[in-house]
Amino acid sequence: MMMIEDPILVVLQFLALYVMGNQEPGIMDYVHLRGVEIIHQIQHTFRHHVDLMQILTRVGDPRYAFLIYFPLAYCLHQATGTRVLWIACLSEWLNGVLKWILHGQRPYWWVNEVKLHDNVLNIPSLEQYSLTCETGPGSPSGHAMVTSAVLYSIGTSFMQHGIQQAKAVERVLVWVSFTVVLVAVNVSRLFIATHFPHQVVAGSLTGILLAEVVKHEYTSGLTFKHYAIWCIVLVIGVCVTYFGISILSLDPLWSLTLAKKWCANPEWVHPDTTPFFTFTRDVSSLLEWIPEAVTEAVFVGRQPLTWSQSSRTHVREHSPPQSFPNEPRGQGVLQKSPKYPVVAACTGSCVGPEYTSHGNYRK
């Protein structure tokens, strides 16, 4: 495998290629070629750490946002968990739409397509691994976008609710941990030749921006109507994008064809990485969460709980709520549903004509 050392030589090679093919070279051609050089260097540097690189790329798998990060965040803080679910769905959905629109290449097939032209010399060869052959378009990186959005939301929520009195050192430690994990995931994506450098950078920045936009206030009080409307909007957005691409005589599945063509091992092709699979996961996740969201709105109310209150919320059927002896009186919140009058939720010590001096329910 040879390295490209002179940028001028790179430009001259591409000029020769496109002049012979009656085409004009574009800026993205140079960006891709320089990106391949960076990927080749990363593969050479970490060639003895293949297993570690594949573990890191699994850490950033968007599926883990639904299987690990969301359940864990919800157990610690319900409002944060709900926000993580929404951010995971919206970031992955937006990523799939952008991939269809931007039509981004992936390194492992791009280098082979370029090598079909005899005029191009000294193109580095890239190694492929079992996780390399993803079948969706490459830009922006879904791993980088979803991981940055989810971890950013968890980090900001933790600093807001978990360590309100934290020192500057502790806050810096949170952001350093976030940066280290995100950089490690992005480097692993480059190592397995699944993304170009500009694609992981674009995905990371877009994910952080989306997480900054979607706040707790926007997700904690959503009702059945909101979930249903958003699911319909996501489905319509996918249909409009798909048919718009088809009208322009473009193939929405063009990347799947190239992945099958250039993957070193047919068993490494992952059809579940196409945008269709991600869209299905996003909409189904929101639909499955509707019953829990409605229950939370009815029994607990729409005010987000703190990290400590989440574990102390009591919901009882056909029995009065109990008070917490260590909490100040008058801080309790009693939520009753007109539809379910025998069900009440009490957080803290409840006082009023229905309760005794000890906070117990007065029959």
Side-chain angles (χ1 to χ4, degrees):
M1 293 182 288
M2 301 179 63
M3 290 289 296
I4 301 176
E5 299 179 354
D6 188 358
I8 299 179
L9 178 60
V10 175
V11 176
L12 293 176
Q13 290 169 350
F14 268 99
L15 287 174
L17 166 65
Y18 285 97
V19 168
M20 294 296 294
N22 295 323
Q23 301 181 34
E24 295 183 0
I27 184 63
M28 291 308 300
D29 300 312
Y30 178 75
V31 171
H32 286 154
L33 193 57
R34 302 304 295 181
V36 168
E37 180 181 354
I38 295 174
I39 295 171
H40 176 73
Q41 183 61 45
I42 292 176
Q43 289 187 341
H44 177 76
T45 302
F46 297 99
R47 62 187 182 278
H48 300 304
H49 305 282
V50 175
D51 293 337
L52 175 61
M53 289 293 106
Q54 298 204 88
I55 290 175
L56 290 175
T57 200
R58 287 191 176 96
V59 169
D61 194 324
R63 289 175 290 190
Y64 288 164
F66 301 90
L67 298 177
I68 298 179
Y69 304 136
F70 157 62
L72 181 60
Y74 190 80
C75 289
L76 296 176
H77 187 239
Q78 293 181 11
T80 299
T82 304
R83 181 191 180 198
V84 168
L85 174 65
W86 274 94
I87 288 178
C89 293
L90 293 178
S91 60
E92 192 175 42
W93 178 87
L94 180 61
N95 179 262
V97 172
L98 289 176
K99 282 183 175 180
W100 268 350
I101 295 175
L102 297 179
H103 208 79
Q105 303 285 337
R106 290 190 184 270
Y108 75 91
W109 74 54
W110 185 84
V111 292
N112 291 294
E113 286 287 312
V114 171
K115 286 181 179 180
L116 291 178
H117 302 275
D118 296 334
N119 295 289
V120 178
L121 304 175
N122 297 331
I123 300 296
S125 298
L126 299 180
E127 298 291 335
Q128 295 187 22
Y129 306 93
S130 59
L131 299 179
T132 295
C133 302
E134 296 189 2
T135 52
S139 185
S141 169
H143 281 61
M145 186 169 174
V146 177
T147 300
S148 62
V150 169
L151 295 185
Y152 183 88
S153 64
I154 293 176
T156 53
S157 180
F158 181 70
M159 289 191 296
Q160 180 180 357
H161 302 285
I163 53 174
Q164 295 180 358
Q165 305 299 326
K167 300 179 181 178
V169 175
E170 295 173 330
R171 295 179 179 273
V172 170
L173 182 61
V174 172
W175 289 119
V176 169
S177 301
F178 165 77
T179 304
V180 169
V181 173
L182 185 58
V183 170
V185 171
N186 289 348
V187 170
S188 71
R189 301 299 290 168
L190 299 179
F191 176 84
I192 65 174
T194 302
H195 285 295
F196 290 100
H198 71 278
Q199 295 173 346
V200 296
V201 172
S204 299
L205 296 179
T206 306
I208 293 174
L209 178 62
L210 179 63
E212 185 63 29
V213 171
V214 181
K215 301 292 186 180
H216 283 136
E217 295 79 6
Y218 304 147
T219 58
S220 299
L222 297 180
T223 63
F224 172 83
K225 179 177 67 176
H226 297 103
Y227 279 79
I229 291 176
W230 269 102
C231 288
I232 294 174
V233 169
L234 296 183
V235 172
I236 293 177
V238 170
C239 294
V240 170
T241 305
Y242 178 85
F243 288 112
I245 294 175
S246 301
I247 291 175
L248 296 176
S249 300
L250 300 175
D251 182 13
L253 299 178
W254 66 275
S255 57
L256 179 60
T257 303
L258 289 176
K260 292 181 177 179
K261 178 180 179 181
W262 294 113
C263 187
N265 187 339
E267 296 181 356
W268 292 350
V269 177
H270 303 285
D272 59 343
T273 55
T274 58
F276 280 114
F277 279 83
T278 61
F279 295 146
T280 303
R281 177 167 57 231
D282 300 333
V283 176
S284 62
S285 297
L286 290 180
L287 289 175
E288 291 173 358
W289 190 244
I290 287 179
E292 180 65 26
V294 174
T295 302
E296 181 179 342
V298 171
F299 297 137
V300 180
R302 298 185 180 182
Q303 295 299 325
L305 305 177
T306 64
W307 290 80
S308 57
Q309 286 176 331
S310 296
S311 60
R312 300 204 304 269
T313 301
H314 282 208
V315 179
R316 305 210 184 256
E317 292 188 13
H318 307 286
S319 64
Q322 301 297 322
S323 63
F324 299 98
N326 295 330
E327 296 198 7
R329 293 177 54 79
Q331 300 300 319
V333 178
L334 176 64
Q335 301 289 344
K336 287 188 176 182
S337 169
K339 187 175 181 181
Y340 303 97
V342 297
V343 181
C346 177
T347 302
S349 300
C350 295
V351 295
E354 297 176 299
Y355 293 87
T356 66
S357 59
H358 298 289
N360 296 324
Y361 190 79
R362 189 194 305 276
K363 296 185 179 181

